[in-house]
Amino acid sequence: MNVFCKDSRFSGIESFEEKLWLASPTMHGEEQKWINDAFQKNWITTAGENIDFIEAEIAKKIGRKHAVALSSGTAALHLAMRLAAEKIYGVPQVGHGALEGRKVFASDMTFDATVNPVSFESGELIFIDTETDSWNMDPVALRKAFEIYPDVKLIVIAHLYGTPGKMDEIREIADAHGALIIEDAAESFGSTFNGMQTGLFGDYGVISFNGNKIITGSSGGMFLCDDEEDAKKIRKWSTQSREDAPWYQHEELGYNYRMSNLIAGVVRGQLPYLEEHVALKRAIYERYAEGFKDLPVKMNPYLSGSKTNHWLSCITIDPEAMCETRRSDKSATYVSEPGKSCPTEILDALCAFGAEGRPIWKPMHMQPLYKNNSFVTVSGKDVGADIFARGLCLPSDVKMTAAQQDKVIEIVRRCFDR
Ligand SMILES: *Cc1c(COP(=O)(O)O)cnc(C)c1O
């Protein structure tokens, strides 16, 4: 028995029969066929037709010349980071990170996998605050960062919750400073900005097939680029950097980061359903927007020139409708107030009835791991902290029915009851 069941605001609401997820894998049957195909041909390894197929298909879909299938989006980000670092600063000695003594500008409000590869390579992260139009890296803050740190040559940027950031402005600023961009499109596969797919804007792009993404392989990721030598290098590094020799010959540091042909089979089976998933996610977003029209909340915004995949639907609560709330490093408390609510109360209420929401990704500059890193904001604001304080992600599973979503909407509404 949870407290919400005894709370008169929620009278008459029954729990979901089955747990309603934030975003869970949605299989269609073809995935099994391509796994079986790999079994039949005994390509149970990190090579095979499924891998070749998805590399070609995804490169074509995004408009890139090359795509390399890897074990995860994080692995793809790591190799992209090392490649970019070596291009800019040269090959490091063994035992040294490719970014040692170097600063890198990074999105602040993102999942830590976006930024950790900078640390893998011993670089120093400088976090750039978020804008309010798409919840991504603020070009104004980026411009300011270049004034403070004019020598920076590398930027890593994510498209949060599938929503494309201001890539035209960011590209212009990067070019003006001769900086390379690594574009983390892990959450935004299928989204476009000015008619171009995300993953196409960076010097290198990355997508992910983690279990909760818009399409999945259960795990897996992909590195995207246009230069054939770059693609070759990533293939080589991802398979332990073996030289062309009769024995194991090594001139460069290597990794075991290649995708399995079984995983690629799942991705291959999912690919034809990308657009369908995007359409379902969009419908979910619009249903929430309609359902919350008269509540003191706002949906996560997107830019007029963009078409987002609406991977996750999120809201922020208007400042005047926030009840008193306090967050420590690992827990949160709040004081329930008539007509007001807060992310923790809404998430607790959803959880009590069997639905999974999630707080906004906690900004990197607020993470104990990166507490000593610089954070560049526009004139004393902290947009990321504000969105984190007032925002949350709602159940956005493509299998969610309209009736289930209406109940989610009703639970959120009741949180604001008087
Ligand atoms: C999921 C995700 C990643 C990491 O992808 P994995 O395939 O899980 O390693 C990186 N960046 C962002 C923004 C993500 O959401």
Side-chain angles (χ1 to χ4, degrees), residues 72-74 77 110-111 113-114 184 186-187 208 210 213 220:
S72 68
T74 308
L77 281 158
T110 184
F111 186 52
T114 307
D184 179 356
E187 299 176 359
S208 165
N210 184 299
K213 299 298 198 288

Side-chain angles (χ1 to χ4, degrees), residues 268-280:
R268 185 175 184 176
Q270 288 261 287
L271 261 182
Y273 297 92
L274 173 62
E275 299 309 327
E276 184 182 315
H277 287 195
V278 172
L280 290 165

